[in-house]
Amino acid sequence: MSSHTGKFGEYGGQYVPEALMPAIEELEDAYQRYVLENEDGFMDDFRARLADFGGRPTPLQHAKRLSERYDRDVYLKREDLLHGGAHKLNNALGQVLLAKYMGKERIIAETGAGQHGTATAMACAHLGMPCEVYMGRRDINRQRPNVFRMRLNGAEVNPVTVGRGTLKEAISETMRDWATNVEDTHYVIGSVVGPHPFPAMVRDFQRVISEEAREQIREKAGRLPDSVLTCAGGGSNTMGVFAEFIPDDDVDLYAVEAGGSSLEVDEEAGVAPNSATLSTGTEGVLHGSRTRVLQDRDGQIMESHSVSAGLDYAGVGPELADLVDRGRVTAVNVDDDHALEGFHRLSQLEGVIPALESAHAAAYVEENHEDLGEVILLNISGRGDKDLETVLEETHGRDIENAPEIETFAETGGFQ
Amino acid sequence: MSRIAEAFADGPAFVPYLAAGDPNYEASLSYVEALERGGADVIELGLPFSEPIAEGPTIQSAIVRALEGGMTPTRFFEFVEDLDVDVPLVCMTYYNLIYQFGEGEEKGPEAFVRRAAEVGIEGFVVPDLPAEEAAPLREACDAHDCELVFIVAPTTRGERLERIMSQVSGYVYVQARLGTTGARADLSDQTDESLARIAEWDVPKAVGFGISSGDHAQRVIEAGADGVIVGSALVDIVAKGVERGDPPVTVASRLESKARELKEGALRGAAGSNEQPHPERT
């Protein structure tokens, strides 16, 4: 799947200001040498750090009570147990280490839910690199524990107030910083998005999820799964858990998007009340690559929505968009209410409190398990600690049928 | 010779930028017209895109105001038709708007350039479209006798320079320093170095990014540029007008005198260059 032209079918490419092009060419060269050819033992260094610092391999857990409930075998790939609580460290550590090998002196990143910012801040502290993270003002408010974790690791967090103050604006702002400081700074993009080589490179850093999962499920189930499911925002955990299964034609791959409150779009207001880019988006050019995006008829990018900040993005990785077009990956979506139900169910039945992002995929299994075969692999991309305040607020504010009694918490002001 | 080439041949060219529709359609028309009265030789008109990744805060805010004022690609072309100016117009926008323009089979760069040429646009600057991805737009521009301007950054070197040189037409936009657009108090050495790298190119060189005064304009022309591009310093006048609630006629007259200052600076620079072809710089 690796592509030297940076194209995945019609998608991909490099649509960035001229000032950034030399840095991108330099990065292409570094990706080729260090990542693909393991020059100076880069990949060995990366894998050793993922093990010692990151805690890999993460377990593949047979989810006993879910399996009983659905009368089939459900396995959870526990990326929530990776250091930092999400798959994000795989990529952040890879890129910060690469920047170090390239002789860069400063790291910048953007973050939505704060997981990527946290992972980047941790990787920077681990490797001794200065780090600045751009984060939408709105996301800062709804993901405060992660903001604090970034600060604890010594990163600067720069609030982005333009637009609606979410990931889309934070990415644009980080690109501006990069364009100003490109000579000594590396921009750690948080997903399989952006100009080539980012989509391919980030996938290769995340590929470790499916390398492990494929081995582990063979050991535990004695065979490959019938289906692999995971949530899809930008698509980094998605590509990570799919990558090694793509050649396995008998394994169905499901990318579960955030259906938000509705799939209908308000063209007039320029708002999509969802983040279901693969399901409802159209081809366009955003943040450096040609891909599927949520946009109005004129090509203005829409504000997206999801109860989960990590999925709240108007674009998606170009490779994932191409895999969906080619029919190798099925794009489906789950709305906010069902995602909350999925969150509570996994917490109650398995003792795993998932990120709201991952809860979307769990909810899809609940509704559709009969179509997913006998052996189901569900990627838990991250843990839900960062989402507790959101879950409290959103569960209290609406009718989620399997939610526990939480009135007392809500009335006493939650965790504040 | 294209009208843009003529504007530079009569040089030094003063090339101001405003976002079309900032802060609203009617006021913006009068602002663009004021630039011509102030001495503009070519005008860059911004067609606002929601994710302007190459712009600094000043122009980004202008784009937000223009979008909130209802500017769209369709309105933009009406805007150009309604403008009463004689100087050549260049459309500055981001690729997604070009890519999405039109319907069905007709959608894309060809439809966009055809419509733009109909209303009198003679060139394009697309900051997120590097030479590698520009072939479809280049073809459309050739088909409709439009110029495609590319940006040369301080980081652009080697093969990239060749690639840009083979595609650029109208003028080359020399980015004075790294970063995004925005007025600055001084000019960087990067300008001189960038100009030196492309000294042999057979296309006019216009320097932009950070030019905010007549003195800057003078220095850029003295350094060997054929033109100066000024955006943020003008957009700033519009922004201050919005902030203070000044009537559009007042803002238009401020824009006109700022334009005059910049044009006169450029002229002084050219006069200086003529007397001293290779001035010693301190």
Side-chain angles (χ1 to χ4, degrees):
Chain A
M1 298 303 326
S2 176
S3 140
H4 290 289
T5 59
K7 294 280 162 77
F8 304 98
E10 289 294 302
Y11 299 121
Q14 297 171 319
Y15 296 85
V16 292
E18 174 57 31
L20 291 180
M21 285 302 292
I24 282 171
E25 288 178 348
E26 186 190 347
L27 187 62
E28 264 184 271
D29 177 60
Y31 165 57
Q32 176 67 36
R33 292 192 289 122
Y34 294 120
V35 180
L36 300 180
E37 294 163 18
N38 193 29
E39 188 174 306
D40 296 343
F42 172 83
M43 285 303 283
D44 304 320
D45 189 358
F46 171 55
R47 282 169 194 279
R49 287 172 194 273
L50 271 183
D52 295 345
F53 174 67
R56 299 213 73 94
T58 59
L60 183 76
Q61 176 198 350
H62 183 245
K64 189 155 175 292
R65 295 185 67 196
L66 278 184
S67 297
E68 280 165 10
R69 180 178 175 91
Y70 303 140
D71 191 24
R72 57 206 67 223
D73 285 312
V74 179
Y75 291 88
L76 306 179
K77 179 60 176 164
R78 298 288 308 275
E79 288 299 294
D80 59 314
L81 292 178
L82 188 65
H83 179 41
H87 70 288
K88 293 290 185 184
L89 183 70
N90 302 323
N91 170 48
L93 185 63
Q95 285 198 49
V96 176
L97 189 64
L98 186 66
K100 193 129 188 151
Y101 274 60
M102 290 169 73
K104 298 286 176 184
E105 288 162 14
R106 172 177 176 260
I107 293 294
I108 53 172
E110 91 298 316
T111 195
Q115 290 300 86
H116 172 60
T118 302
T120 307
M122 290 185 324
C124 285
H126 171 66
L127 290 161
M129 290 276 258
C131 177
E132 283 182 51
V133 180
Y134 290 89
M135 187 169 183
R137 169 59 71 192
R138 182 184 147 89
D139 287 338
I140 286 179
N141 292 338
R142 57 177 173 172
Q143 302 286 345
R144 290 188 309 156
N146 271 339
V147 177
F148 190 47
R149 288 206 288 173
M150 287 181 250
R151 294 291 297 135
L152 289 174
N153 283 133
E156 295 292 329
V157 180
N158 302 325
V160 178
T161 52
V162 289
R164 211 168 53 103
T166 57
L167 181 58
K168 169 168 89 67
E169 291 82 12
I171 292 181
S172 295
E173 200 60 36
T174 318
M175 287 215 167
R176 290 192 189 99
D177 181 318
W178 200 26
T180 309
N181 302 296
V182 61
E183 286 169 315
D184 67 352
T185 298
H186 176 69
Y187 172 13
V188 180
I189 288 189
S191 193
V192 287
V193 301
H196 176 68
F198 282 103
M201 183 176 73
V202 175
R203 172 205 62 210
D204 287 346
F205 287 139
Q206 292 292 355
R207 179 188 293 276
V208 62
I209 305 173
S210 51
E211 281 170 2
E212 288 174 8
R214 206 166 177 283
E215 285 292 305
Q216 290 166 323
I217 204 155
R218 276 203 154 137
E219 254 168 52
K220 297 207 165 187
R223 67 181 187 86
L224 292 180
D226 294 307
S227 53
V228 179
L229 295 97
T230 195
C231 62
S236 72
N237 92 89
T238 329
M239 284 311 305
V241 75
F242 287 173
E244 292 290 311
F245 290 108
I246 288 170
D248 302 317
D249 290 336
D250 294 340
V251 179
D252 294 334
L253 308 174
Y254 291 87
V256 186
E257 297 194 287
S261 56
S262 162
L263 291 186
E264 298 299 313
V265 159
D266 184 348
E267 277 261 352
E268 195 69 20
V271 172
N274 61 71
S275 308
T277 315
L278 293 165
S279 311
T280 67
T282 51
E283 194 182 341
V285 175
L286 173 65
H287 292 144
S289 67
R290 187 190 291 196
T291 183
R292 278 181 178 262
V293 297
L294 297 174
Q295 58 186 331
D296 68 14
R297 255 178 248 113
D298 290 329
Q300 304 291 1
I301 306 306
M302 295 223 186
E303 297 293 350
S304 56
H305 162 81
S306 169
V307 68
S308 114
L311 301 182
D312 197 348
Y313 179 53
V316 68
E319 183 174 15
L320 190 51
D322 181 52
L323 288 167
V324 169
D325 277 9
R326 291 198 283 118
R328 180 64 191 97
V329 170
T330 307
V332 294
N333 58 81
V334 159
D335 67 18
D336 286 347
D337 282 5
H338 284 93
L340 285 162
E341 282 182 31
F343 176 92
H344 291 298
R345 189 173 299 108
L346 203 59
S347 301
Q348 288 160 27
L349 291 188
E350 295 293 344
V352 173
I353 297 178
L356 272 172
E357 289 79 1
S358 319
H360 285 74
Y364 188 81
V365 177
E366 170 77 10
E367 302 286 316
N368 300 279
H369 56 266
E370 287 180 3
D371 303 326
L372 300 175
E374 293 301 312
V375 178
I376 298 171
L377 173 59
L378 173 60
N379 189 43
I380 304 301
S381 58
R383 70 179 188 213
D385 304 46
K386 69 188 172 64
D387 295 318
L388 296 184
E389 283 197 48
T390 305
V391 169
L392 180 60
E393 192 181 306
E394 298 283 343
T395 304
H396 184 58
R398 64 180 93 187
D399 184 22
I400 305 301
E401 61 180 50
N402 62 343
E405 179 58 55
I406 55 167
E407 288 290 310
T408 337
F409 284 101
E411 280 158 14
T412 54
F415 307 106
Q416 304 186 16
Chain B
M1 187 185 272
S2 77
R3 296 210 320 143
I4 291 176
E6 279 171 25
F8 278 90
D10 296 345
F14 166 51
V15 186
Y17 163 98
L18 281 179
D22 171 27
N24 61 61
Y25 192 93
E26 288 302 323
S28 185
L29 281 174
S30 72
Y31 296 167
V32 177
E33 288 161 5
L35 296 177
E36 185 184 44
R37 288 196 300 277
D41 299 294
V42 175
I43 296 174
E44 286 184 0
L45 270 185
L47 162 55
F49 176 53
S50 57
E51 317 301 316
I53 55 173
E55 316 294 350
T58 307
I59 290 177
Q60 189 189 15
S61 302
I63 284 170
V64 170
R65 288 192 297 269
L67 287 172
E68 282 171 355
M71 186 48 71
T72 65
T74 308
R75 285 289 276 164
F76 176 82
F77 293 131
E78 288 164 15
F79 182 91
V80 176
E81 279 182 317
D82 286 346
L83 267 180
D84 185 14
V85 295
D86 285 330
V87 297
L89 298 172
V90 169
C91 167
M92 180 152 183
T93 194
Y94 286 76
Y95 194 55
N96 199 45
L97 298 188
I98 295 173
Y99 191 64
Q100 300 302 330
F101 188 79
E103 299 286 336
E105 296 283 297
E106 297 276 281
K107 201 167 150 173
E110 215 284 325
F112 186 88
V113 175
R114 187 181 344 119
R115 178 74 184 125
E118 259 170 38
V119 298
I121 296 282
E122 296 176 53
F124 301 88
V125 184
V126 188
D128 66 341
L129 190 70
E132 286 79 355
E133 308 282 358
L137 184 59
R138 177 74 264 173
E139 276 172 37
C141 285
D142 289 345
H144 296 278
D145 291 328
C146 286
E147 313 282 16
L148 184 52
V149 174
F150 283 89
I151 296 172
V152 166
T155 45
T156 311
R157 290 188 171 79
E159 280 176 25
R160 296 204 52 76
L161 283 170
E162 304 291 316
R163 210 171 291 153
I164 293 169
M165 189 176 73
S166 69
Q167 291 223 33
V168 71
S169 64
Y171 53 95
V172 55
Y173 188 139
V174 181
Q175 184 177 329
R177 53 173 175 72
L178 278 178
T180 52
T181 55
R184 290 291 193 284
D186 55 353
L187 281 170
S188 84
D189 296 344
Q190 291 173 337
T191 310
D192 296 348
E193 291 164 17
S194 295
L195 280 170
R197 275 201 296 279
I198 60 166
E200 303 303 314
W201 289 21
D202 187 22
V203 59
K205 293 116 193 146
V207 172
F209 274 52
I211 296 168
S212 60
S213 70
D215 288 346
H216 286 165
Q218 178 180 347
R219 278 165 50 200
V220 162
I221 299 297
E222 279 171 356
D226 304 295
V228 288
I229 304 171
V230 181
S232 296
L234 297 164
V235 168
D236 212 33
I237 292 173
V238 177
K240 290 218 169 74
V242 171
E243 229 169 78
R244 298 176 190 152
D246 294 332
V249 63
T250 311
V251 176
S253 113
R254 281 185 204 132
L255 283 167
E256 185 181 333
S257 45
K258 187 71 184 175
R260 190 161 293 124
E261 175 200 330
L262 290 157
K263 170 73 180 181
E264 283 166 2
L267 287 171
R268 279 199 308 277
S273 295
N274 289 342
E275 287 157 19
Q276 281 181 290
H278 302 290
E280 293 270 334
R281 279 187 298 275
T282 50

